[in-house]
Amino acid sequence: MHTDSGDLVAALDIGGTKIAGALVDGAGRLRVRARRPTPAREDGATVMAAVAAVLDELAGSAEWPLVRAVGIGSAGPVDASAGTVSPVNVPGWRGFPLVAEVTRRVGGLPVTLVGDGVAMAAAEHWQGAARGRADALCMVVSTGVGGGLVLGGRLRSGPTGNAGHIGHISVDLDGDPCPCGSRGCVERIASGPNIARRALEAGWRPGPDGDASAAGVAAAAHAGDPVALASFARAARALAAGIAATATLVEIEVAVIGGGVAGAGDVLFAPLRAHLRDYAALSFASGVEVFPARLGSDAGVVGAAAAAAAEAGLWGPAGGTGGTGPGTASGM
């Protein structure tokens, strides 16, 4: 991969909590950063104004003239073919024309849109825990649960940019209704807010700091609280079932898990690996390894940049794989 061209990609990572932006170079370094909270409960124009503020801050950098493309990783569902987004956790955006709005603000630079899970997969395959692996599922487990696939060494985002969206695989046929319209989805069980909800419903109470979030439940689980441990075990079981289903369908060799919930460490990963042994029983699925993501909160912008660079033919030959470059974002 050629990293001396000086070309940069402007990247956005849009979620229900934050809008992060960065100028990213061909080595995956974040040269300039910007961030705003997501006004997720406001109308669509207000949310777009926060995105525009991040873009304006990036555009004010002395390095902006080196930007050759823009990548967006957004909470989903997205429709990359139409350039629209409808994040479950941002009700003011339904079919929102995000690509057109961003294009208007960046002087006609090419804009690539993928789901946040696909962005994370691109990042972890390029620079992180899936580097050098030909077949991987990468997951974001946070306010929601998203995912993306690398198959045959290439990012496979699908026609609309949602391939690998494991959060809305149903793993409990008679489970709770999910905001997506289905029932018993992985997200409804394993996301941070649902881990906390289930623990509170089962009688867990926050400690002296009053933290009633999944992070508070994780702290209690590390201290041995049985209700907190049970809530994480249930989340781990849902994730294991979703990973096993994916492995059975497309023969992945590794599952990489990032996002805030992954920060719980062994209280999540230990039961997840144990349950995966039960669910991934077929010989071709039983060898799936599970690793925590390496790029942390930067995965979204790094992956959005990688997807956009691949689409624009930057930073090396198109189709670079095996961790040597951003790869090809097939199907976008």
Side-chain angles (χ1 to χ4, degrees):
M1 187 175 80
H2 307 293
T3 61
D4 58 353
S5 69
D7 292 339
L8 301 180
V9 172
L12 296 172
D13 175 22
I14 302 173
T17 303
K18 72 177 191 309
I19 300 163
L23 302 186
V24 183
D25 68 18
R29 294 180 296 241
L30 276 59
R31 304 270 284 266
V32 179
R33 295 175 182 262
R35 178 171 170 150
R36 296 288 188 281
T38 304
R41 297 299 162 192
E42 303 297 329
D43 61 74
T46 302
V47 180
M48 186 61 219
V51 174
V54 171
L55 281 170
D56 288 346
E57 186 171 342
L58 295 177
S61 163
E63 296 195 84
W64 181 262
L66 298 174
V67 172
R68 300 291 177 260
V70 179
I72 306 170
S74 174
V78 306
D79 188 340
S81 60
T84 61
V85 298
S86 304
V88 172
N89 295 321
V90 185
W93 274 4
R94 290 294 175 266
F96 186 80
L98 182 58
V99 169
E101 290 288 336
V102 170
T103 300
R104 186 166 61 85
R105 288 170 167 82
V106 296
L109 289 168
V111 177
T112 296
L113 170 66
V114 293
D116 56 356
V118 173
M120 187 260 200
E124 290 293 331
H125 185 240
W126 180 24
Q127 297 282 341
R131 185 179 176 91
R133 302 296 190 113
D135 302 287
L137 168 69
C138 299
M139 303 176 62
V140 180
V141 186
S142 185
T143 307
V145 177
L149 290 167
V150 173
L151 300 175
R154 295 170 180 261
L155 185 67
R156 304 291 183 178
S157 58
T160 66
N162 293 287
H165 199 353
I166 189 174
H168 294 287
I169 289 177
S170 179
V171 293
D172 183 356
L173 298 183
D174 298 314
D176 293 339
C178 178
C180 78
S182 185
R183 283 185 173 271
C185 292
V186 171
E187 180 172 297
R188 181 63 177 163
I189 300 169
S191 70
N194 283 300
I195 290 172
R197 173 186 59 82
R198 188 168 50 254
L200 288 165
E201 289 174 351
W204 174 76
R205 293 295 176 263
D209 61 1
D211 186 356
S213 71
V217 180
H222 280 291
D225 184 287
V227 175
L229 284 165
S231 189
F232 266 93
R234 176 70 171 162
R237 187 177 178 188
L239 292 170
I243 292 168
T246 305
T248 303
L249 188 65
V250 295
E251 296 194 55
I252 57 169
E253 57 184 311
V254 62
V256 176
I257 301 178
V261 172
D266 283 346
V267 297
L268 176 71
F269 283 93
L272 195 166
R273 291 183 176 115
H275 286 304
L276 188 58
R277 287 193 292 271
D278 294 332
Y279 284 104
L282 293 170
S283 60
F284 62 87
S286 62
V288 175
E289 298 176 274
V290 177
F291 297 111
R294 292 180 185 168
L295 297 181
S297 60
D298 289 338
V301 287
V302 171
E311 192 80 356
L314 301 175
W315 301 342
T321 60
T324 60
T328 297
S330 300
M332 292 195 301

